[in-house]
Amino acid sequence: MQEEYKREQLVSDRSELEKEIELVRNIINTREELKNNNKNFEYAELDLVDYYIYQIKANQAKLDYLLRLAKAKGITIDTINQLKYENYDENIG
């Protein structure tokens, strides 16, 4: 049996809808990472405190940037929350 490799699409090859869905996925994932970093920070000891502070700052900056992009494209928080609870991992047909 021969394995098939899926060619990754270049961003320029994607439709506007695919780009918006990818942006929403990134927002959702970054928001979840930020929540996890905050939870881990609460229980961190010694050197891990600095690590989680760095992670929280980095993810907050990333989330702020992604939210600015979404706002510029007219994507609302309601859209993001709606897609969060749908199966957003499916490929677009």
Side-chain angles (χ1 to χ4, degrees), residues 52-65:
Y52 284 112
I53 289 171
Y54 171 78
Q55 290 296 316
I56 290 167
K57 287 182 178 182
N59 279 317
Q60 187 61 57
K62 181 179 177 182
L63 184 60
D64 292 344
Y65 170 75

Side-chain angles (χ1 to χ4, degrees), residues 4-37:
E4 291 185 35
Y5 293 96
K6 182 178 176 184
R7 176 173 107 52
E8 290 186 33
Q9 278 186 311
L10 297 175
V11 173
S12 61
D13 291 345
R14 295 182 182 169
S15 70
E16 279 304 309
L17 178 61
E18 289 173 321
K19 290 177 187 177
E20 289 179 7
I21 290 172
E22 185 66 25
L23 177 59
V24 170
R25 284 182 187 153
N26 284 326
I27 290 170
I28 292 167
N29 291 336
T30 303
R31 192 165 55 180
E32 290 302 313
E33 286 177 29
L34 186 58
K35 286 179 189 177
N36 289 333
N37 291 148

Side-chain angles (χ1 to χ4, degrees), residues 46-90:
L46 306 173
D47 292 339
L48 287 179
V49 170
D50 290 337
Y51 171 78
Y52 284 112
I53 289 171
Y54 171 78
Q55 290 296 316
I56 290 167
K57 287 182 178 182
N59 279 317
Q60 187 61 57
K62 181 179 177 182
L63 184 60
D64 292 344
Y65 170 75
L66 294 172
L67 289 173
R68 279 194 304 274
L69 285 178
K71 184 177 180 180
K73 290 182 175 276
I75 299 171
T76 64
I77 297 298
D78 291 334
T79 305
I80 294 167
N81 286 330
Q82 178 185 358
L83 287 175
K84 179 179 180 179
Y85 297 107
E86 293 177 1
N87 187 3
Y88 59 87
D89 285 335
E90 290 184 359

